[in-house]
Amino acid sequence: GEKTPVGRVRIFEEKSEKTFSLSNFTSLIRIKNKHELNYHFLHKFLFFLYIRGKTEAMQKHSTGIRNLQLAQYKDIDIPLPSLAEQKHIVAKLDAAFAEIDKALTATEASAKKAEILFQNYLTEVFKGGDDWVEKSIDEMTDKTKNVSPNKSPNTQFKYVDVSSVSNKEFIITKTQLLLGKDAPSRAKKNIITN
């Protein structure tokens, strides 16, 4: 089932002549007194609870689906500063979120530029020169040999799998020392060092 905690909050302000219908996995909360509680303030507060994981304890699992216990959720105490202070807090948070969005956009744009530069650099490097020849990978590499570590149950060997390779450097950074009898079924290729 879904791994994301339930309790996400959204403000629904869409206006239409048509009637809206919510799914059975959605609940609607409407402010009783807008002179006491600013709905943007409530939204920010409930969002804060969600990202802090406070709704985790209010979930019930059935058939692999997470359900929010609405009665428990509605018992949450809301801090209530004055309406003016609520609006001030909302404005500060909106400004902070806008700055965060700008920073994320700039970071994504920088990452895209870096990727394009890297791809262009690789294209330039590997386009070749007049004295370059082309040969297949098969012509230039040795075929790996299959091995069966379980045929030597008491012999130690170093096992390399995907988790052994560094994601940053793309080199083997760690291996497991195993006995042949403990070898996983996928341990089938012999690695020649150097």
Side-chain angles (χ1 to χ4, degrees), residues 159-166 172 174-176 184 186 191:
Y159 177 62
V160 177
D161 68 0
V162 174
S163 66
S164 305
V165 180
S166 162
I172 296 170
K174 60 183 177 183
T175 58
Q176 294 178 24
R186 59 188 174 275
I191 297 175

Side-chain angles (χ1 to χ4, degrees), residues 144-149 159 184-190:
T144 57
K145 294 182 172 70
N146 286 343
V147 293
S148 297
Y159 177 62
S185 60
R186 59 188 174 275
K188 295 182 178 176
K189 297 291 181 182
N190 192 26

